[in-house]
Amino acid sequence: MNHVPRIERVMIYAALPVALTCCFGAVRNTTEGQPWPRHTIDDSSQGADGVRLLDVNGDGRLDVSTPWEEGGVIRVYLQPAASAIREQWPAVTVGQVASPEDAVFVDLDADGAVDVVSSCEGKQRSVFVHWAPKDAADYLDPAAWRTEPLAATVDNQMWMFALPLDVDGKNGIDLIVGGKGPGASVAWLESPADPRQANQWRLHPLRPAGWIMSLLGKDVDGDGDLDVVFSDRKKKNRGIWWMENPGKEAAAGGASWTTHGMGGDVAEPMFLDVADLNQDGLEDVVCTSRGGELFFLERLSTASEPKWKWHRFGNPLGLPWGKSVRVADVDLDGRIDLVHAGNTQGNRQHRGVVWMSCTGNPADGDWTVHDISGPEGVKFDLLQTIDLDGDGDLDVIGCEERDNLGVFWYENPTR
């Protein structure tokens, strides 16, 4: 059993509602179980970089959007019926852009056809809309899609992630977007009266950023609107935060969004998840890091100024570079588990994807690591948990960039 050494560092969060008690837990660094069967959805391009889910055709099954960073394409995958789920999925390339980091489903123009928004870094430095064809019969026809940048974002900064959110109550869905590097920010992209007018979207910076990883819409303060929980992995902005939504009328009038620190500045926080990990009725935050640590921010209060207690564990199997974590009951025992993905840097002793179980309080109990991926794969990215084969347990859907495993899902053997 390995314990994470305490990092001697003074943490100061002036006037922030955060309980600064920092507890160090243990991860039992032995991998139990056999790898789960892996089923390829698509491996036709290079550098699959995250999966986002939405039912785009109304068949009750969640579909997938993925950016292929090195391949320079944005692809959509329609989930087939359970009888064909282990085969490659019907797919369409909805656009070609350089260095895409994120691709999210959203019906921006409210025409009933679900579009895709991609965020690009590198020299592309733009947010693009890939407009879906209005006729559902043409959804898998690449020629029926149209791609154009939102003019306000072009060459503004390197864009990393987008969150669809109706900020002002006008003109449908807006976008919260985050970037990285010089001049980076978390910003609000305001939809115009005609969202199809790409040159009329307005960009409102909300706060400076170093390198945004996650943007999640959650009503943190219980006032009925969605706030934004986010992770920033770089420089003075490093940490886990939430931005307080001022409300639709105030936001439309230019009101600022108050940012509240939650901790996590001792390592590079990566993708996070918000869920009730300890099953006490309050939503907590779990985040992995590129610093060898896994953070559990235990929510202590339902008040409008919520407080968290910060717990730290080692990443599973000593993995230095964590990337994504999800909260889920993997083995259907009624207790909450974690699914974790990271970058093994080619070390086959590590495991790129595992799940972690805990028999006691997740804040102080031993976590046991269970294999999912086996030694195959190096650099995994944003993953999701979903019952794909209809057997009642949660499978894991994700992607991998270095061994070019592409987009795939792991079949949970619990049932």
Side-chain angles (χ1 to χ4, degrees):
M1 183 184 305
N2 294 336
H3 291 267
V4 180
R6 180 166 186 138
I7 298 176
E8 297 298 331
R9 178 170 179 173
V10 177
M11 295 171 291
I12 301 176
Y13 293 92
L16 295 179
V18 178
L20 292 181
T21 304
C22 188
C23 300
F24 294 82
V27 174
R28 193 180 304 278
N29 280 329
T30 57
T31 309
E32 298 187 357
Q34 297 297 316
W36 294 7
R38 187 182 77 247
H39 306 285
T40 299
I41 294 173
D42 181 25
D43 58 2
S44 64
S45 189
Q46 298 288 324
D49 207 4
V51 293
R52 308 285 290 272
L53 306 179
L54 191 72
D55 178 8
V56 301
N57 54 6
D59 64 359
R61 298 188 289 265
L62 294 176
D63 308 299
V64 177
S65 61
T66 296
W68 293 76
E69 184 176 5
E70 283 74 31
V73 295
I74 309 298
R75 285 177 63 77
V76 165
Y77 307 95
L78 299 185
Q79 185 183 155
S83 59
I85 198 69
R86 295 172 183 82
E87 303 170 9
Q88 293 203 358
W89 294 14
V92 57
T93 296
V94 305
Q96 297 184 347
V97 293
S99 304
E101 280 289 330
D102 178 51
V104 61
F105 288 121
V106 54
D107 182 4
L108 274 189
D109 56 357
D111 66 350
V114 179
D115 314 300
V116 178
V117 170
S118 63
S119 302
C120 299
E121 58 162 345
K123 295 180 179 179
Q124 188 76 84
R125 296 167 56 94
S126 301
V127 175
F128 287 87
V129 182
H130 310 278
W131 299 107
K134 294 183 183 297
D135 188 340
D138 295 331
Y139 205 80
L140 291 180
D141 178 5
W145 289 75
R146 183 167 64 88
T147 296
E148 62 181 334
L150 297 179
T153 69
V154 175
D155 290 330
N156 181 281
Q157 59 188 282
M158 290 186 282
W159 298 104
M160 302 300 291
F161 206 78
L163 169 67
L165 183 70
D166 182 4
V167 173
D168 57 4
K170 302 186 298 182
N171 306 327
I173 299 296
D174 309 293
L175 296 168
I176 302 293
V177 288
K180 78 169 187 179
S185 66
V186 178
W188 162 38
L189 268 170
E190 179 185 354
S191 175
D194 180 2
R196 285 271 183 167
Q197 298 300 312
N199 62 348
Q200 294 183 16
W201 284 71
R202 296 177 59 196
L203 184 69
H204 306 275
L206 299 177
R207 62 162 281 120
W211 184 331
I212 295 299
M213 293 299 298
S214 289
L215 293 166
L216 271 70
K218 290 286 181 179
D219 184 6
V220 178
D221 52 7
D223 64 356
D225 55 32
L226 290 178
D227 309 298
V228 177
V229 180
F230 67 97
S231 53
D232 191 330
R233 60 183 284 195
K234 286 294 185 181
K235 299 184 178 179
K236 65 180 180 181
N237 300 292
R238 175 182 291 174
I240 301 168
W241 311 79
W242 69 279
M243 285 194 310
E244 186 175 347
N245 190 332
K248 288 182 169 56
E249 184 176 347
S256 61
W257 295 49
T258 303
T259 303
H260 305 269
M262 300 166 69
D265 74 330
V266 298
E268 292 187 47
M270 305 298 277
F271 288 116
L272 58 79
D273 198 10
V274 178
D276 185 3
L277 181 60
N278 57 4
Q279 298 176 288
D280 65 352
L282 302 176
E283 285 198 317
D284 312 298
V285 177
V286 182
C287 186
T288 188
S289 79
R290 195 179 171 179
E293 292 187 305
L294 185 63
F295 305 135
F296 165 35
L297 281 68
E298 179 185 6
R299 183 156 181 169
L300 303 177
S301 168
T302 60
S304 59
E305 292 188 354
K307 296 181 180 181
W308 284 266
K309 186 175 182 178
W310 183 25
H311 307 273
R312 291 157 60 183
F313 309 93
N315 280 341
L317 303 181
L319 187 70
W321 289 3
K323 191 65 179 285
S324 179
V325 63
R326 288 291 178 195
V327 178
D329 182 4
V330 173
D331 56 356
L332 303 178
D333 66 351
R335 292 188 291 264
I336 298 298
D337 310 301
L338 298 177
V339 180
H340 185 278
N343 186 342
T344 69
Q345 300 173 274
N347 183 345
R348 302 297 175 176
Q349 300 303 311
H350 291 309
R351 292 294 185 267
V353 185
V354 300
W355 70 278
M356 303 165 62
S357 61
C358 182
T359 57
N361 187 329
D364 55 24
D366 289 343
W367 289 91
T368 300
V369 180
H370 309 261
D371 200 356
I372 291 181
S373 66
E376 294 181 301
V378 175
K379 187 180 179 184
F380 294 84
D381 208 272
L382 180 63
L383 54 79
Q384 312 284 350
T385 56
I386 174 177
D387 182 8
L388 286 172
D389 51 6
D391 64 355
D393 57 30
L394 291 173
D395 309 299
V396 175
I397 184 170
C399 60
E400 192 276 337
E401 297 183 59
R402 290 294 177 261
D403 278 355
N404 204 41
L405 301 183
V407 184
F408 51 80
W409 65 281
Y410 292 111
E411 184 175 353
N412 189 337
T414 297
R415 288 183 171 173

mmCIF file of all heavy atoms in Angstrom, residues 50-51 213-214 269-273 286-290 294 315-316 319 321-327 338-343 352-354 356 380-385 396-399:
data_model
loop_
_atom_site.group_PDB
_atom_site.id
_atom_site.type_symbol
_atom_site.label_atom_id
_atom_site.label_comp_id
_atom_site.label_asym_id
_atom_site.label_seq_id
_atom_site.Cartn_x
_atom_site.Cartn_y
_atom_site.Cartn_z
ATOM 1 N N GLY A 50 -11.169 12.784 -27.197
ATOM 2 C CA GLY A 50 -12.304 13.008 -26.320
ATOM 3 C C GLY A 50 -13.617 12.595 -26.950
ATOM 4 O O GLY A 50 -13.770 12.604 -28.166
ATOM 5 N N VAL A 51 -14.587 12.228 -26.104
ATOM 6 C CA VAL A 51 -15.916 11.856 -26.581
ATOM 7 C C VAL A 51 -16.959 12.648 -25.812
ATOM 8 O O VAL A 51 -16.882 12.802 -24.598
ATOM 9 C CB VAL A 51 -16.177 10.335 -26.440
ATOM 10 C CG1 VAL A 51 -15.285 9.550 -27.379
ATOM 11 C CG2 VAL A 51 -15.986 9.849 -25.012
ATOM 12 N N MET A 213 -9.435 22.827 -18.886
ATOM 13 C CA MET A 213 -9.700 21.424 -19.181
ATOM 14 C C MET A 213 -11.204 21.147 -19.188
ATOM 15 O O MET A 213 -11.777 20.803 -20.203
ATOM 16 C CB MET A 213 -8.998 20.529 -18.157
ATOM 17 C CG MET A 213 -7.479 20.567 -18.245
ATOM 18 S SD MET A 213 -6.831 20.008 -19.842
ATOM 19 C CE MET A 213 -7.411 18.318 -19.876
ATOM 20 N N SER A 214 -11.860 21.298 -18.036
ATOM 21 C CA SER A 214 -13.287 21.002 -17.929
ATOM 22 C C SER A 214 -14.104 22.279 -17.817
ATOM 23 O O SER A 214 -13.665 23.263 -17.209
ATOM 24 C CB SER A 214 -13.567 20.155 -16.680
ATOM 25 O OG SER A 214 -13.088 18.847 -16.805
ATOM 26 N N PRO A 269 -4.658 20.170 -12.489
ATOM 27 C CA PRO A 269 -5.964 19.506 -12.543
ATOM 28 C C PRO A 269 -6.380 19.265 -13.995
ATOM 29 O O PRO A 269 -6.268 20.137 -14.837
ATOM 30 C CB PRO A 269 -6.904 20.511 -11.866
ATOM 31 C CG PRO A 269 -6.019 21.473 -11.151
ATOM 32 C CD PRO A 269 -4.747 21.517 -11.930
ATOM 33 N N MET A 270 -6.892 18.092 -14.255
ATOM 34 C CA MET A 270 -7.313 17.734 -15.607
ATOM 35 C C MET A 270 -8.844 17.677 -15.661
ATOM 36 O O MET A 270 -9.509 18.512 -15.092
ATOM 37 C CB MET A 270 -6.640 16.421 -16.016
ATOM 38 C CG MET A 270 -5.102 16.469 -15.902
ATOM 39 S SD MET A 270 -4.305 17.710 -16.969
ATOM 40 C CE MET A 270 -4.224 16.827 -18.493
ATOM 41 N N PHE A 271 -9.418 16.680 -16.349
ATOM 42 C CA PHE A 271 -10.869 16.604 -16.418
ATOM 43 C C PHE A 271 -11.454 16.229 -15.060
ATOM 44 O O PHE A 271 -10.892 15.396 -14.341
ATOM 45 C CB PHE A 271 -11.305 15.570 -17.456
ATOM 46 C CG PHE A 271 -11.062 16.008 -18.874
ATOM 47 C CD1 PHE A 271 -10.171 15.331 -19.683
ATOM 48 C CD2 PHE A 271 -11.738 17.105 -19.409
ATOM 49 C CE1 PHE A 271 -9.949 15.734 -20.993
ATOM 50 C CE2 PHE A 271 -11.523 17.513 -20.705
ATOM 51 C CZ PHE A 271 -10.628 16.822 -21.510
ATOM 52 N N LEU A 272 -12.589 16.821 -14.734
ATOM 53 C CA LEU A 272 -13.246 16.560 -13.453
ATOM 54 C C LEU A 272 -14.657 16.029 -13.670
ATOM 55 O O LEU A 272 -15.206 16.096 -14.758
ATOM 56 C CB LEU A 272 -13.257 17.822 -12.589
ATOM 57 C CG LEU A 272 -13.924 19.093 -13.121
ATOM 58 C CD1 LEU A 272 -15.437 19.063 -12.994
ATOM 59 C CD2 LEU A 272 -13.378 20.318 -12.400
ATOM 60 N N ASP A 273 -15.228 15.534 -12.575
ATOM 61 C CA ASP A 273 -16.617 15.088 -12.578
ATOM 62 C C ASP A 273 -17.282 15.628 -11.329
ATOM 63 O O ASP A 273 -16.630 15.788 -10.279
ATOM 64 C CB ASP A 273 -16.691 13.557 -12.607
ATOM 65 C CG ASP A 273 -18.059 13.035 -13.039
ATOM 66 O OD1 ASP A 273 -18.888 13.849 -13.488
ATOM 67 O OD2 ASP A 273 -18.292 11.811 -12.933
ATOM 68 N N VAL A 286 -14.682 15.427 -8.155
ATOM 69 C CA VAL A 286 -13.532 14.533 -8.267
ATOM 70 C C VAL A 286 -12.737 14.959 -9.483
ATOM 71 O O VAL A 286 -13.307 15.243 -10.542
ATOM 72 C CB VAL A 286 -13.965 13.058 -8.410
ATOM 73 C CG1 VAL A 286 -12.749 12.153 -8.462
ATOM 74 C CG2 VAL A 286 -14.874 12.662 -7.266
ATOM 75 N N CYS A 287 -11.419 15.040 -9.332
ATOM 76 C CA CYS A 287 -10.575 15.497 -10.435
ATOM 77 C C CYS A 287 -9.243 14.780 -10.379
ATOM 78 O O CYS A 287 -8.634 14.651 -9.313
ATOM 79 C CB CYS A 287 -10.352 17.008 -10.336
ATOM 80 S SG CYS A 287 -9.469 17.746 -11.740
ATOM 81 N N THR A 288 -8.773 14.301 -11.525
ATOM 82 C CA THR A 288 -7.441 13.726 -11.591
ATOM 83 C C THR A 288 -6.457 14.810 -12.028
ATOM 84 O O THR A 288 -6.857 15.918 -12.387
ATOM 85 C CB THR A 288 -7.401 12.519 -12.545
ATOM 86 O OG1 THR A 288 -6.126 11.880 -12.442
ATOM 87 C CG2 THR A 288 -7.655 12.937 -13.984
ATOM 88 N N SER A 289 -5.171 14.500 -11.971
ATOM 89 C CA SER A 289 -4.180 15.537 -12.251
ATOM 90 C C SER A 289 -2.972 14.976 -12.985
ATOM 91 O O SER A 289 -2.714 13.775 -12.987
ATOM 92 C CB SER A 289 -3.708 16.195 -10.948
ATOM 93 O OG SER A 289 -2.756 15.374 -10.281
ATOM 94 N N ARG A 290 -2.238 15.885 -13.588
ATOM 95 C CA ARG A 290 -0.955 15.550 -14.184
ATOM 96 C C ARG A 290 0.158 15.843 -13.172
ATOM 97 O O ARG A 290 1.191 16.399 -13.486
ATOM 98 C CB ARG A 290 -0.749 16.361 -15.458
ATOM 99 C CG ARG A 290 0.368 15.837 -16.343
ATOM 100 C CD ARG A 290 0.518 16.648 -17.608
ATOM 101 N NE ARG A 290 1.714 16.270 -18.333
ATOM 102 C CZ ARG A 290 2.090 16.799 -19.473
ATOM 103 N NH1 ARG A 290 1.359 17.749 -20.040
ATOM 104 N NH2 ARG A 290 3.187 16.418 -20.074
ATOM 105 N N LEU A 294 -4.977 12.428 -7.268
ATOM 106 C CA LEU A 294 -6.406 12.413 -7.527
ATOM 107 C C LEU A 294 -7.065 13.198 -6.404
ATOM 108 O O LEU A 294 -6.804 12.949 -5.223
ATOM 109 C CB LEU A 294 -6.899 10.959 -7.538
ATOM 110 C CG LEU A 294 -8.350 10.658 -7.893
ATOM 111 C CD1 LEU A 294 -8.658 11.085 -9.321
ATOM 112 C CD2 LEU A 294 -8.605 9.154 -7.735
ATOM 113 N N ASN A 315 -2.725 8.896 -7.848
ATOM 114 C CA ASN A 315 -3.341 8.311 -9.035
ATOM 115 C C ASN A 315 -3.151 6.794 -9.014
ATOM 116 O O ASN A 315 -2.153 6.297 -8.493
ATOM 117 C CB ASN A 315 -2.722 8.886 -10.308
ATOM 118 C CG ASN A 315 -3.279 10.255 -10.671
ATOM 119 O OD1 ASN A 315 -4.340 10.632 -10.212
ATOM 120 N ND2 ASN A 315 -2.557 10.987 -11.503
ATOM 121 N N PRO A 316 -4.065 6.026 -9.580
ATOM 122 C CA PRO A 316 -3.961 4.561 -9.524
ATOM 123 C C PRO A 316 -2.685 4.043 -10.173
ATOM 124 O O PRO A 316 -2.268 4.517 -11.226
ATOM 125 C CB PRO A 316 -5.207 4.092 -10.288
ATOM 126 C CG PRO A 316 -5.629 5.262 -11.112
ATOM 127 C CD PRO A 316 -5.252 6.471 -10.319
ATOM 128 N N LEU A 319 0.321 6.231 -11.552
ATOM 129 C CA LEU A 319 0.291 6.893 -12.856
ATOM 130 C C LEU A 319 0.531 8.391 -12.676
ATOM 131 O O LEU A 319 -0.271 9.073 -12.044
ATOM 132 C CB LEU A 319 -1.057 6.646 -13.521
ATOM 133 C CG LEU A 319 -1.231 7.119 -14.959
ATOM 134 C CD1 LEU A 319 -0.399 6.254 -15.903
ATOM 135 C CD2 LEU A 319 -2.701 7.065 -15.365
ATOM 136 N N TRP A 321 0.485 10.894 -14.931
ATOM 137 C CA TRP A 321 -0.327 11.788 -15.749
ATOM 138 C C TRP A 321 -1.756 11.268 -15.847
ATOM 139 O O TRP A 321 -2.096 10.493 -16.734
ATOM 140 C CB TRP A 321 0.269 11.927 -17.151
ATOM 141 C CG TRP A 321 1.553 12.711 -17.171
ATOM 142 C CD1 TRP A 321 2.219 13.229 -16.087
ATOM 143 C CD2 TRP A 321 2.325 13.054 -18.315
ATOM 144 N NE1 TRP A 321 3.352 13.866 -16.491
ATOM 145 C CE2 TRP A 321 3.459 13.787 -17.851
ATOM 146 C CE3 TRP A 321 2.187 12.823 -19.676
ATOM 147 C CZ2 TRP A 321 4.422 14.276 -18.711
ATOM 148 C CZ3 TRP A 321 3.159 13.305 -20.541
ATOM 149 C CH2 TRP A 321 4.262 14.032 -20.062
ATOM 150 N N GLY A 322 -2.608 11.672 -14.908
ATOM 151 C CA GLY A 322 -4.024 11.384 -15.024
ATOM 152 C C GLY A 322 -4.650 12.290 -16.064
ATOM 153 O O GLY A 322 -4.134 13.355 -16.393
ATOM 154 N N LYS A 323 -5.810 11.890 -16.611
ATOM 155 C CA LYS A 323 -6.461 12.707 -17.623
ATOM 156 C C LYS A 323 -7.959 12.863 -17.351
ATOM 157 O O LYS A 323 -8.480 13.963 -17.384
ATOM 158 C CB LYS A 323 -6.247 12.094 -19.013
ATOM 159 C CG LYS A 323 -6.666 12.997 -20.174
ATOM 160 C CD LYS A 323 -5.821 14.256 -20.255
ATOM 161 C CE LYS A 323 -6.209 15.158 -21.412
ATOM 162 N NZ LYS A 323 -5.736 14.635 -22.712
ATOM 163 N N SER A 324 -8.663 11.767 -17.090
ATOM 164 C CA SER A 324 -10.118 11.833 -16.969
ATOM 165 C C SER A 324 -10.579 10.915 -15.848
ATOM 166 O O SER A 324 -9.987 9.860 -15.610
ATOM 167 C CB SER A 324 -10.763 11.418 -18.303
ATOM 168 O OG SER A 324 -12.171 11.445 -18.222
ATOM 169 N N VAL A 325 -11.644 11.323 -15.158
ATOM 170 C CA VAL A 325 -12.199 10.492 -14.095
ATOM 171 C C VAL A 325 -13.719 10.625 -14.130
ATOM 172 O O VAL A 325 -14.262 11.698 -14.411
ATOM 173 C CB VAL A 325 -11.636 10.901 -12.710
ATOM 174 C CG1 VAL A 325 -12.028 12.314 -12.343
ATOM 175 C CG2 VAL A 325 -12.056 9.918 -11.636
ATOM 176 N N ARG A 326 -14.396 9.507 -13.884
ATOM 177 C CA ARG A 326 -15.857 9.477 -13.829
ATOM 178 C C ARG A 326 -16.309 8.748 -12.566
ATOM 179 O O ARG A 326 -15.684 7.764 -12.134
ATOM 180 C CB ARG A 326 -16.440 8.756 -15.047
ATOM 181 C CG ARG A 326 -16.334 9.543 -16.328
ATOM 182 C CD ARG A 326 -17.227 10.753 -16.314
ATOM 183 N NE ARG A 326 -17.109 11.541 -17.523
ATOM 184 C CZ ARG A 326 -17.555 12.787 -17.650
ATOM 185 N NH1 ARG A 326 -18.142 13.376 -16.628
ATOM 186 N NH2 ARG A 326 -17.425 13.434 -18.780
ATOM 187 N N VAL A 327 -17.413 9.237 -11.983
ATOM 188 C CA VAL A 327 -18.025 8.610 -10.819
ATOM 189 C C VAL A 327 -19.151 7.703 -11.303
ATOM 190 O O VAL A 327 -20.021 8.134 -12.062
ATOM 191 C CB VAL A 327 -18.583 9.678 -9.861
ATOM 192 C CG1 VAL A 327 -19.260 9.023 -8.668
ATOM 193 C CG2 VAL A 327 -17.473 10.619 -9.403
ATOM 194 N N LEU A 338 -14.945 4.774 -9.034
ATOM 195 C CA LEU A 338 -14.352 5.726 -9.958
ATOM 196 C C LEU A 338 -13.821 4.985 -11.180
ATOM 197 O O LEU A 338 -13.284 3.882 -11.059
ATOM 198 C CB LEU A 338 -13.183 6.485 -9.308
ATOM 199 C CG LEU A 338 -13.497 7.342 -8.084
ATOM 200 C CD1 LEU A 338 -12.212 7.959 -7.536
ATOM 201 C CD2 LEU A 338 -14.508 8.424 -8.412
ATOM 202 N N VAL A 339 -13.962 5.596 -12.356
ATOM 203 C CA VAL A 339 -13.298 5.125 -13.563
ATOM 204 C C VAL A 339 -12.256 6.173 -13.928
ATOM 205 O O VAL A 339 -12.569 7.370 -14.002
ATOM 206 C CB VAL A 339 -14.284 4.926 -14.722
ATOM 207 C CG1 VAL A 339 -13.552 4.443 -15.971
ATOM 208 C CG2 VAL A 339 -15.369 3.932 -14.331
ATOM 209 N N HIS A 340 -11.029 5.744 -14.142
ATOM 210 C CA HIS A 340 -9.903 6.671 -14.304
ATOM 211 C C HIS A 340 -9.141 6.368 -15.587
ATOM 212 O O HIS A 340 -8.895 5.210 -15.920
ATOM 213 C CB HIS A 340 -8.954 6.539 -13.106
ATOM 214 C CG HIS A 340 -7.827 7.523 -13.084
ATOM 215 N ND1 HIS A 340 -6.663 7.351 -13.801
ATOM 216 C CD2 HIS A 340 -7.693 8.710 -12.429
ATOM 217 C CE1 HIS A 340 -5.865 8.373 -13.583
ATOM 218 N NE2 HIS A 340 -6.465 9.210 -12.755
ATOM 219 N N ALA A 341 -8.782 7.419 -16.317
ATOM 220 C CA ALA A 341 -7.980 7.280 -17.534
ATOM 221 C C ALA A 341 -6.811 8.249 -17.479
ATOM 222 O O ALA A 341 -6.900 9.325 -16.870
ATOM 223 C CB ALA A 341 -8.822 7.552 -18.781
ATOM 224 N N GLY A 342 -5.704 7.886 -18.125
ATOM 225 C CA GLY A 342 -4.536 8.758 -18.113
ATOM 226 C C GLY A 342 -3.576 8.451 -19.232
ATOM 227 O O GLY A 342 -3.893 7.744 -20.198
ATOM 228 N N ASN A 343 -2.379 8.978 -19.093
ATOM 229 C CA ASN A 343 -1.292 8.803 -20.054
ATOM 230 C C ASN A 343 -0.209 7.960 -19.405
ATOM 231 O O ASN A 343 0.409 8.367 -18.415
ATOM 232 C CB ASN A 343 -0.737 10.174 -20.445
ATOM 233 C CG ASN A 343 0.304 10.121 -21.547
ATOM 234 O OD1 ASN A 343 0.878 9.067 -21.828
ATOM 235 N ND2 ASN A 343 0.578 11.252 -22.167
ATOM 236 N N GLY A 352 -3.778 2.360 -18.686
ATOM 237 C CA GLY A 352 -4.350 3.616 -19.127
ATOM 238 C C GLY A 352 -5.748 3.851 -18.623
ATOM 239 O O GLY A 352 -6.148 4.990 -18.379
ATOM 240 N N VAL A 353 -6.537 2.764 -18.454
ATOM 241 C CA VAL A 353 -7.907 2.889 -17.951
ATOM 242 C C VAL A 353 -8.125 1.823 -16.876
ATOM 243 O O VAL A 353 -7.865 0.637 -17.114
ATOM 244 C CB VAL A 353 -8.953 2.727 -19.070
ATOM 245 C CG1 VAL A 353 -10.358 2.984 -18.522
ATOM 246 C CG2 VAL A 353 -8.671 3.675 -20.231
ATOM 247 N N VAL A 354 -8.598 2.260 -15.708
ATOM 248 C CA VAL A 354 -8.894 1.348 -14.601
ATOM 249 C C VAL A 354 -10.182 1.807 -13.935
ATOM 250 O O VAL A 354 -10.682 2.905 -14.193
ATOM 251 C CB VAL A 354 -7.762 1.333 -13.549
ATOM 252 C CG1 VAL A 354 -6.449 0.893 -14.165
ATOM 253 C CG2 VAL A 354 -7.610 2.715 -12.891
ATOM 254 N N MET A 356 -11.824 1.979 -9.806
ATOM 255 C CA MET A 356 -11.364 1.960 -8.425
ATOM 256 C C MET A 356 -12.566 1.788 -7.505
ATOM 257 O O MET A 356 -13.544 2.528 -7.608
ATOM 258 C CB MET A 356 -10.636 3.268 -8.104
ATOM 259 C CG MET A 356 -9.466 3.554 -9.023
ATOM 260 S SD MET A 356 -8.876 5.278 -8.916
ATOM 261 C CE MET A 356 -8.367 5.347 -7.199
ATOM 262 N N PHE A 380 -4.837 8.278 -23.164
ATOM 263 C CA PHE A 380 -6.296 8.254 -23.176
ATOM 264 C C PHE A 380 -6.827 9.650 -22.854
ATOM 265 O O PHE A 380 -6.122 10.489 -22.305
ATOM 266 C CB PHE A 380 -6.807 7.229 -22.170
ATOM 267 C CG PHE A 380 -6.449 5.812 -22.525
ATOM 268 C CD1 PHE A 380 -5.212 5.277 -22.178
ATOM 269 C CD2 PHE A 380 -7.340 5.018 -23.222
ATOM 270 C CE1 PHE A 380 -4.870 3.972 -22.512
ATOM 271 C CE2 PHE A 380 -7.018 3.706 -23.563
ATOM 272 C CZ PHE A 380 -5.772 3.187 -23.209
ATOM 273 N N ASP A 381 -8.078 9.884 -23.187
ATOM 274 C CA ASP A 381 -8.632 11.229 -23.039
ATOM 275 C C ASP A 381 -9.977 11.178 -22.335
ATOM 276 O O ASP A 381 -10.265 10.207 -21.625
ATOM 277 C CB ASP A 381 -8.728 11.910 -24.413
ATOM 278 C CG ASP A 381 -8.640 13.417 -24.318
ATOM 279 O OD1 ASP A 381 -9.699 14.051 -24.147
ATOM 280 O OD2 ASP A 381 -7.527 13.966 -24.404
ATOM 281 N N LEU A 382 -10.791 12.207 -22.528
ATOM 282 C CA LEU A 382 -12.089 12.324 -21.877
ATOM 283 C C LEU A 382 -12.946 11.094 -22.167
ATOM 284 O O LEU A 382 -13.180 10.749 -23.319
ATOM 285 C CB LEU A 382 -12.806 13.583 -22.372
ATOM 286 C CG LEU A 382 -14.193 13.855 -21.798
ATOM 287 C CD1 LEU A 382 -14.122 14.087 -20.294
ATOM 288 C CD2 LEU A 382 -14.824 15.047 -22.493
ATOM 289 N N LEU A 383 -13.409 10.444 -21.093
ATOM 290 C CA LEU A 383 -14.221 9.239 -21.244
ATOM 291 C C LEU A 383 -15.586 9.448 -20.621
ATOM 292 O O LEU A 383 -15.823 10.400 -19.877
ATOM 293 C CB LEU A 383 -13.506 8.022 -20.657
ATOM 294 C CG LEU A 383 -13.002 8.067 -19.208
ATOM 295 C CD1 LEU A 383 -14.112 7.830 -18.214
ATOM 296 C CD2 LEU A 383 -11.897 7.040 -19.009
ATOM 297 N N GLN A 384 -16.496 8.526 -20.933
ATOM 298 C CA GLN A 384 -17.855 8.560 -20.405
ATOM 299 C C GLN A 384 -18.241 7.150 -19.974
ATOM 300 O O GLN A 384 -17.690 6.162 -20.465
ATOM 301 C CB GLN A 384 -18.847 9.043 -21.479
ATOM 302 C CG GLN A 384 -18.440 10.282 -22.225
ATOM 303 C CD GLN A 384 -18.604 11.571 -21.440
ATOM 304 O OE1 GLN A 384 -19.212 11.575 -20.369
ATOM 305 N NE2 GLN A 384 -18.078 12.658 -21.956
ATOM 306 N N THR A 385 -19.215 7.050 -19.054
ATOM 307 C CA THR A 385 -19.772 5.749 -18.677
ATOM 308 C C THR A 385 -21.217 5.682 -19.149
ATOM 309 O O THR A 385 -21.988 6.621 -18.970
ATOM 310 C CB THR A 385 -19.702 5.543 -17.151
ATOM 311 O OG1 THR A 385 -20.372 6.620 -16.485
ATOM 312 C CG2 THR A 385 -18.252 5.477 -16.683
ATOM 313 N N VAL A 396 -17.684 1.583 -20.551
ATOM 314 C CA VAL A 396 -16.845 2.781 -20.625
ATOM 315 C C VAL A 396 -16.551 3.084 -22.085
ATOM 316 O O VAL A 396 -16.089 2.207 -22.827
ATOM 317 C CB VAL A 396 -15.521 2.586 -19.854
ATOM 318 C CG1 VAL A 396 -14.607 3.789 -20.044
ATOM 319 C CG2 VAL A 396 -15.806 2.363 -18.369
ATOM 320 N N ILE A 397 -16.846 4.304 -22.505
ATOM 321 C CA ILE A 397 -16.569 4.720 -23.874
ATOM 322 C C ILE A 397 -15.523 5.819 -23.841
ATOM 323 O O ILE A 397 -15.568 6.720 -23.001
ATOM 324 C CB ILE A 397 -17.862 5.176 -24.588
ATOM 325 C CG1 ILE A 397 -17.593 5.526 -26.046
ATOM 326 C CG2 ILE A 397 -18.533 6.327 -23.869
ATOM 327 C CD1 ILE A 397 -18.863 5.745 -26.859
ATOM 328 N N GLY A 398 -14.530 5.713 -24.725
ATOM 329 C CA GLY A 398 -13.437 6.685 -24.716
ATOM 330 C C GLY A 398 -12.642 6.643 -25.991
ATOM 331 O O GLY A 398 -13.098 6.134 -27.026
ATOM 332 N N CYS A 399 -11.430 7.176 -25.921
ATOM 333 C CA CYS A 399 -10.562 7.228 -27.097
ATOM 334 C C CYS A 399 -9.108 7.247 -26.649
ATOM 335 O O CYS A 399 -8.798 7.470 -25.479
ATOM 336 C CB CYS A 399 -10.884 8.456 -27.956
ATOM 337 S SG CYS A 399 -10.682 10.005 -27.082
#
